[in-house]
């Protein structure tokens, strides 16, 4: 797959200044005012660029430069607000000086058809962007007044990352990598959407988190990870059309199973607290539940095609889960698990909202094309993986905290040579 | 004739005898067998405009029904032919795959029936018989649709599970299981209805009297609010044992029916309970379930039997065809029980004039035709025609006169 012309560049070292984090929203006020004014002008210029691109097939160079600066400024400011970056951003959207930045293409020839209908074509991307990041374009207020030009940073994932990151940064002076990566992904996707909307590029935004964060270091491997056949994008149109109805028996069965799983988890909590390791039988039962939930959600959200089995057996579904064997767990973490899981549950809630939007869009795409878009599939896989990690953590299958990074964890590299020898 | 064939013939004869005896016992009725229904002069009883409106309404409804049935058969036929290939869309093992195939078949039929449903809705709205919107009709009843899908999966789980355990003999244990489920459903259904108690104290007192007369004391008479979706008047006797009750639609209580007519309605529903018609329904279901399941088992043998998911589309077609073939019988049974309930109502109220007035009013309030064509009578009429019901009221009058001391 060729690389998207709008690429995210992440050079952030995760270090955060506590005072600027504490007052971040106040410090950002001048930027928000400036962005508001700049956006008003950009709306005007966007119309001019649209007409110019329709006539000449590509945007004029000076307008392109202007739009690039605007997109870049949005990236810088959003990164600052959601704590994906630390330094105070410049006001001019200059290139290459901010830890979270984007590379943007030179002016290019664009299809006049897609230019003509750009505002409509951008709607699916805007929906994803607003679900995950809340950025990426001009927002409409919930009331009757169109608030063109207001800053639009109200996405669920952004809010969760910023809210949780704020506490983490104040305590540790560092942004958790998972939250930073999630925020950076939202920033990057928002930039692609904005660049598309403002005619910086004619390339449609790519929702694939792996491609978006290609240059970012992968997190350590998590014991709960996705396995299976990722590249099977074929979707049966009939089962796609009736997906909600077809999933009903699974939803009922999952709900019944969930009741038993909660009771088993309570029992497992006592066992793990006393023995330090979960009971094997309970661990197996809960593992199957977590895996079955993934299968059902994958089927329901169209992240996978086939009708899943009812048993949550390993290897029975193309989008599957690898789960740890029963192992030693920290008793403190076990004792306070129900409290510790809350931040992860907040992020999970945000991702599930994004998963829902991605699933709805995939439904339309799969009905038309008979395949799921690769980017959306990977985006849903990210949300599903995190959901499984949260469940595994909450149900005491592992004491490794869920990793919010959109990137799948990398196995630890063996040392080149053993210097203990 | 070999001994094996003779044995089979003997077994068949025994089963047929048992079936016939059971059917006879279920068919027995309180309506005197000697009762002769007099001729009713329909054209003099109703105005030409009333008859024209009812006839026009009924004709469209019948055509719509026939087209819907044909479409359903075509869809299930095509699905039985090609549907098994959807098995490749499943990772769920044989039973799960069977569920998927069953649900896809149902979903396709649901979609194919929507246009006919819309046509019927349009027709009823045009005649001010319903207030349901088109969007509500299509999307407002997901819970009921979802419940059907879940029930279908449960059915397939039972059938396929037994099919895998017992091979071609699954129908023997499956039929009683389904009879049990139907009994359970009949018991539970009243608890799922949203109703309120009858507020009309006078009518309530009259209902108490009728309960005593019909020996079904302490039967709750409740009201279901349906006026926001339909203008059709209706009532039903529902439940078994402690769950049994009479449910009146609030459209009956909107002033269009007199108190005497409402007494007849309540007495009719109590008649159902007195004559144990809900239990008889279960009994008839049992009598039809065994041969029905047997036929499905035979039909699906060539596709590997009901243990194999590939047999599910064919089984669905077989069930639909059987259901259609059994429809005249089912309607005949239903009409028979309704006639008995009418008789019980006449015996309890001793008011044939009110019964006649009630049945006559149905022509204007429900656009029911006073009499029906043979096709409509066989496949659509699950109650006696209005002409027959009025004739029974007349016959009761004569019967009472001739049996008076």
């Amino acid at each position: 797959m060729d690389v998207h012309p709008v690429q995210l560049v992440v050079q952030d070292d995760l270090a955060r200044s506590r005072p600027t984090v504490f007052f971040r929203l106040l410090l950002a006020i001048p930027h928000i005012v400036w962005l508001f004014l700049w956006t008003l002008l950009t709306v005007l210029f966007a119309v001019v660029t649209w007409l110019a691109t329709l006539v000449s097939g590509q945007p004029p160079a000076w307008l392109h430069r202007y739009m690039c600066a605007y997109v870049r400024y949005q990236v810088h400011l959003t990164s600052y607000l959601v704590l994906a970056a630390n330094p105070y951003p410049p006001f001019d959207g200059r290139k290459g000086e901010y830890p979270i930045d984007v590379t943007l293409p030179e002016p290019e020839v664009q299809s006049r058809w897609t230019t003509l209908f750009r505002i409509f074509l951008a709607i699916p991307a805007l929906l994803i962007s607003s679900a995950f990041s809340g950025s990426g374009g001009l927002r409409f207020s919930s009331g009757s007044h169109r608030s063109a030009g207001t800053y639009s940073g109200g996405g669920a994932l952004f809010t969760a990352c910023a809210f949780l990151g704020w506490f983490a940064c104040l305590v540790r002076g560092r942004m958790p990598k998972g939250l930073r990566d999630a925020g950076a992904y939202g920033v990057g996707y928002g930039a692609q959407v904005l660049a598309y909307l403002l005619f910086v590029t004619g390339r449609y935004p790519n929702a694939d988190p792996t491609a978006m964060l290609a240059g970012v270091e992968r997190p350590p491997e998590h014991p709960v990870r996705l396995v299976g056949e990722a590249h099977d994008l074929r979707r049966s149109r009939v089962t796609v059309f009736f997906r909600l109805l077809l999933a009903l028996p699974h939803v009922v069965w999952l709900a019944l199973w969930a009741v038993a799983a909660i009771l088993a988890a309570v029992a497992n909590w006592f066992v793990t607290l006393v023995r330090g390791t979960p009971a094997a039988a309970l661990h197996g039962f809960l593992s199957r539940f977590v895996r079955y939930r993934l299968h059902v959600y994958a089927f329901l959200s169209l992240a996978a095609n086939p009708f899943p089995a009812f048993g949550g057996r390993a290897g029975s579904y193309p989008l599957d889960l690898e789960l740890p064997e029963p192992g030693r767990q920290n008793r403190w973490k076990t004792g306070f698990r129900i409290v510790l899981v809350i931040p992860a549950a907040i992020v999970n809630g945000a991702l599930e909202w994004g998963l829902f939007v991605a699933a709805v869009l995939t439904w339309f795409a799969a009905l038309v094309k008979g395949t799921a878009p690769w980017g959306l599939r990977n985006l849903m896989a990210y949300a599903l993986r995190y959901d499984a990690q949260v469940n595994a953590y909450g149900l005491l299958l592992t004491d490794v905290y869920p990793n919010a990074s959109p990137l799948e964890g990398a196995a630890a590299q063996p040392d080149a040579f053993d210097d203990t020898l | 004739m070999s001994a094996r064939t003779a044995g089979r013939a003997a077994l068949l004869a025994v089963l047929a005898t048992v079936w016939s005896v059971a059917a006879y016992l279920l068919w027995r009725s309180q309506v005197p067998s000697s009762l002769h229904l007099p001729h009713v002069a329909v054209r003099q009883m109703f105005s030409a405009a009333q008859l024209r409106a009812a006839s026009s309404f009924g004709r469209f409804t019948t055509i719509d029904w026939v087209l819907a049935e044909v479409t359903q058969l075509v869809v299930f036929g095509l699905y039985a032919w090609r549907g098994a290939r959807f098995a490749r869309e499943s990772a769920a093992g044989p039973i799960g795959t069977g569920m998927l195939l069953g649900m896809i078949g149902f979903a396709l039929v649901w979609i194919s029936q929507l246009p006919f449903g819309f046509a019927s809705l349009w027709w009823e709205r045009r005649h001010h018989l319903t207030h349901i919107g088109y969007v509500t009709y299509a999307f407002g009843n997901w819970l009921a649709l979802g419940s059907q899908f879940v029930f279908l999966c449960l059915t397939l789980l039972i059938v396929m599970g037994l099919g895998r355990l017992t091979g071609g003999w699954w129908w023997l244990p499956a039929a009683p299981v389904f009879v049990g489920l139907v009994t359970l459903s009949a018991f539970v259904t009243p608890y799922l209805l949203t109703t309120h108690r009858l507020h009309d104290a006078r009518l309530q007192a009259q209902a108490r009297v009728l309960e005593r007369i019909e020996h079904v004391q302490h039967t709750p008479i409740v009201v279901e609010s349906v006026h926001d979706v339909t203008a059709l008047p209706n009532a039903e006797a529902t439940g078994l044992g402690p769950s049994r009750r009479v449910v009146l639609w609030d459209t009956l209580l909107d002033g269009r029916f007199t108190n005497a007519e409402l007494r007849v309605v309540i007495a009719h529903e109590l008649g159902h309970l007195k004559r144990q018609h809900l239990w008889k329904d279960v009994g008839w279901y049992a009598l039809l379930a065994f041969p029905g399941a047997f036929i499905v088992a035979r039909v699906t043998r060539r596709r590997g039997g009901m243990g194999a998911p590939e047999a599910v589309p064919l089984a669905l077609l077989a069930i639909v065809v059987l259901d259609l073939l059994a429809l005249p019988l089912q309607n005949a049974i239903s009409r028979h029980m309704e006639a008995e309930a009418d008789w019980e109502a006449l015996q309890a109220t001793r008011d044939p004039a009110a019964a006649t007035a009630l049945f006559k009013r149905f022509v204007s309030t429900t656009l029911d035709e006073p009499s029906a064509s043979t096709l409509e009578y066989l496949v659509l009429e699950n109650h006696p025609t209005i002409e027959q019901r009025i004739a029974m009221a007349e016959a009761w009058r004569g019967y009472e006169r001739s049996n008076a001391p």
Side-chain angles (χ1 to χ4, degrees):
Chain A
M1 186 175 280
D2 53 348
V3 178
H4 195 280
V6 178
Q7 277 292 304
L8 189 72
V9 179
V10 180
Q11 290 175 323
D12 169 59
D13 62 358
L14 301 174
R16 299 289 180 268
S17 145
R18 286 186 177 91
T20 67
V21 166
F22 189 78
F23 295 113
R24 182 89 20 145
L25 271 178
L26 288 172
L27 296 174
I29 286 173
H31 275 290
I32 292 169
V33 173
W34 173 231
L35 180 73
F36 174 74
L37 297 172
W38 196 350
T39 303
L40 288 181
L41 191 63
T42 304
V43 171
L44 192 67
F45 278 11
V47 177
V48 177
T49 313
W50 179 63
L51 291 171
T53 312
L54 270 180
V55 172
S56 66
Q58 70 177 59
W62 69 273
L63 274 174
H64 181 81
R65 278 197 302 279
Y66 170 88
M67 294 299 182
C68 286
Y70 179 77
V71 170
R72 210 173 276 118
Y73 180 62
Q74 274 249 16
V75 167
H76 298 165
L77 180 56
T78 313
S79 304
Y80 184 69
L81 274 170
V82 300
L83 303 165
N86 188 47
Y88 201 65
F91 282 81
D92 55 1
R94 76 185 63 153
K95 185 179 171 184
E97 288 192 8
Y98 203 70
I100 305 280
D101 204 5
V102 278
T103 58
L104 295 163
E106 293 300 311
E108 59 192 13
V109 176
Q110 295 184 32
S111 156
R112 284 189 171 85
W113 281 112
T114 63
T115 303
L116 182 63
F117 297 110
R118 185 66 53 97
I119 190 88
F120 300 109
L121 294 172
I123 288 172
L126 281 167
L127 286 174
I128 295 176
S129 179
S130 58
F132 276 94
S133 60
S135 67
L138 309 172
R139 197 177 58 159
F140 295 86
S141 69
S142 56
S144 58
H145 302 292
R146 180 180 165 169
S147 57
T150 56
Y151 181 71
S152 51
L157 187 60
F158 266 6
T159 310
C161 289
F163 175 73
L164 298 170
W166 189 81
F167 288 103
C169 290
L170 285 181
V171 173
R172 299 168 56 201
R174 283 177 71 80
M175 182 70 168
K177 178 173 160 51
L179 291 180
R180 195 283 311 271
D181 287 355
Y185 165 72
V187 169
Y189 189 71
Q192 288 189 357
V193 174
L194 200 55
Y196 181 69
L197 202 58
L198 297 177
F199 311 99
V200 172
T201 176
R203 181 77 72 84
Y204 205 76
N206 181 5
D208 182 359
T210 316
M212 182 70 69
L213 301 174
V216 178
E217 188 189 352
R218 288 166 64 184
E221 192 171 56
H222 195 279
V224 178
R225 51 189 172 268
L226 292 184
V227 290
E229 177 48 74
H231 290 271
D232 180 16
L233 297 177
R234 188 188 70 81
R235 299 289 180 269
S236 153
R237 286 187 176 90
V238 172
T239 64
V240 166
F241 187 77
F242 294 117
R243 189 60 57 117
L244 271 180
L245 283 172
L246 298 178
L248 271 177
H250 281 296
V251 172
V252 172
W253 181 233
L254 185 65
L256 293 173
W257 199 341
V259 175
I262 290 169
L263 297 175
V266 173
N268 204 22
W269 183 77
F270 282 109
V271 174
T272 312
L273 204 58
V274 173
R275 288 173 42 187
T277 53
L282 290 170
H283 185 90
F285 177 77
L286 291 168
S287 295
R288 284 174 86 106
F289 170 73
V290 171
R291 196 179 286 113
Y292 177 63
R293 184 182 153 100
L294 176 93
H295 295 170
V296 174
Y297 274 42
F299 178 69
L300 199 54
S301 65
L302 300 153
N305 183 49
F307 189 73
F310 286 79
R313 196 165 43 83
S316 66
Y317 205 63
L319 193 63
D320 207 5
L321 204 56
E322 197 169 294
L323 289 160
E325 293 296 315
R328 189 130 206 100
Q329 294 190 28
N330 183 307
R331 282 194 174 85
W332 284 108
K333 288 182 185 175
T334 303
F336 293 102
R337 186 68 53 99
I338 199 153
V339 179
L340 292 173
V341 80
I342 290 172
I346 292 172
V347 176
N348 196 34
L351 282 173
E352 281 188 353
W353 171 237
L355 176 68
F356 169 74
V357 174
V360 171
L361 295 174
T362 306
W363 189 82
F364 285 105
L367 267 187
V368 174
K369 295 169 66 183
T371 56
W374 173 247
L376 287 181
R377 183 264 167 212
N378 283 353
L379 182 56
M380 291 189 289
Y382 158 46
L384 291 168
R385 183 183 66 227
Y386 192 74
D387 181 69
Q389 289 180 356
V390 173
N391 282 310
Y393 184 72
L395 296 173
L396 301 132
L397 298 179
T398 175
D399 65 354
V400 180
Y401 206 75
N403 195 321
S405 174
L407 295 168
E408 183 73 84
Q413 294 292 319
D415 291 335
F417 69 96
D418 189 350
D419 56 7
T420 59
L421 291 174
Chain B
M1 185 188 284
S2 69
R4 189 173 174 172
T5 312
R8 279 185 175 180
L11 179 65
L12 199 64
V14 170
L15 290 175
T17 309
V18 170
W19 197 96
S20 304
V21 169
Y24 168 76
L25 292 172
L26 288 172
W27 188 259
R28 282 187 309 173
S29 168
Q30 286 296 302
V31 181
S33 54
S34 60
L35 192 73
H36 171 71
L37 296 186
H39 172 72
V40 174
V42 169
R43 288 184 188 283
Q44 290 165 13
M45 199 169 272
F46 301 99
S47 71
Q50 276 182 322
L51 292 174
R52 211 169 29 248
S55 166
S56 155
F57 182 79
R59 198 179 316 121
F60 182 92
T61 308
T62 306
I63 293 170
D64 188 60
W65 179 85
V66 170
L67 291 175
E69 285 298 311
V70 170
T71 307
Q72 178 172 268
L73 284 174
V74 169
V75 171
F76 269 127
L78 290 172
Y79 190 63
W81 177 40
R82 304 280 290 180
R85 66 191 178 135
F86 284 110
R88 68 179 178 173
E89 311 299 347
S90 172
I95 296 180
T97 304
M99 288 181 185
L100 175 71
L101 293 179
M103 286 192 291
I104 291 176
F106 253 48
L108 290 173
V109 168
W110 170 68
I111 281 284
S112 74
Q113 295 294 295
L114 271 184
F116 305 103
F118 280 130
S120 173
L121 181 66
W122 167 75
W123 193 237
E124 286 181 11
R125 282 169 61 96
R126 193 182 152 94
H127 289 85
H128 310 293
L129 293 180
T130 184
H131 315 306
I132 303 172
Y134 294 100
V135 176
T136 309
Y137 174 78
F139 303 110
N141 214 357
W142 283 103
L143 190 64
L145 186 67
S147 306
Q148 280 180 27
F149 272 67
V150 172
F151 186 75
L152 171 73
C153 288
L154 184 64
T155 306
L156 285 166
L157 175 68
I158 293 166
V159 169
M160 295 187 71
L162 290 170
R164 297 182 73 76
L165 276 174
T166 62
W169 294 94
W170 63 266
W171 59 276
L172 262 179
V177 171
F178 288 125
V179 173
L181 285 175
V182 165
T183 312
L184 181 68
S185 165
F187 178 78
V188 168
T189 300
Y191 297 121
L192 304 177
L193 297 173
T194 308
T195 57
H196 60 82
R197 66 184 189 85
L198 182 61
H199 296 309
D200 185 335
R202 189 174 155 210
L203 194 58
Q204 208 171 30
Q206 288 171 339
R208 294 283 90 88
V209 174
L210 290 169
E211 284 175 15
R212 271 199 303 278
I213 294 171
E214 303 201 49
H215 306 295
V216 282
Q217 286 96 325
H218 311 301
T219 303
I221 313 285
V222 294
V223 179
E224 186 178 4
S225 177
V226 297
H227 67 274
D228 50 344
V229 291
T230 183
L232 288 170
N234 202 1
E236 61 176 335
T238 179
L240 297 172
S243 76
R244 70 181 187 173
R245 64 203 58 194
V246 168
V247 181
L248 304 176
W249 285 10
D250 63 347
T251 44
L252 271 170
L253 308 171
D254 58 7
R256 288 181 293 172
F257 295 88
T258 65
N259 206 269
E261 290 164 7
L262 292 174
R263 278 183 68 228
V264 176
V265 173
I266 293 170
H268 170 96
E269 301 306 335
L270 292 173
H272 280 306
L273 297 179
K274 179 187 177 186
R275 301 305 311 155
Q276 308 281 5
H277 284 167
L278 283 112
W279 281 111
K280 284 188 176 180
D281 268 339
V282 174
W284 280 111
Y285 178 84
L287 282 188
L288 295 174
F290 277 96
F294 173 73
I295 293 170
V296 172
R298 298 288 290 187
V299 167
T300 53
R301 268 194 321 181
R302 284 173 59 191
R303 290 257 179 107
M306 282 310 295
E310 292 77 13
V312 171
L314 185 60
L316 290 181
L317 175 66
I319 291 166
V320 168
V321 171
L322 284 174
D323 198 40
L324 196 59
L325 293 176
L327 197 54
L329 175 63
Q330 288 172 4
N331 282 336
I333 294 165
S334 171
R335 284 195 301 267
H336 189 69
M337 289 198 271
E338 294 295 338
E340 191 179 26
D342 279 349
W343 184 259
E344 291 293 346
L346 288 162
Q347 293 280 54
T349 60
R350 314 191 71 76
D351 190 355
T356 304
L358 172 73
F359 300 140
K360 282 174 73 175
R361 206 177 298 282
F362 281 155
V363 174
S364 56
T365 54
T366 67
L367 292 180
D368 263 357
E369 287 184 83
S371 53
S373 69
T374 309
L375 173 72
E376 288 170 344
Y377 190 71
L378 285 175
V379 298
L380 291 177
E381 291 287 354
N382 53 17
H383 282 59
T385 62
I386 287 173
E387 184 184 0
Q388 288 173 329
R389 300 180 92 171
I390 293 172
M392 177 175 275
E394 290 299 317
W396 181 87
R397 214 190 296 262
Y399 180 82
E400 278 297 293
R401 265 199 302 268
S402 63
N403 287 288

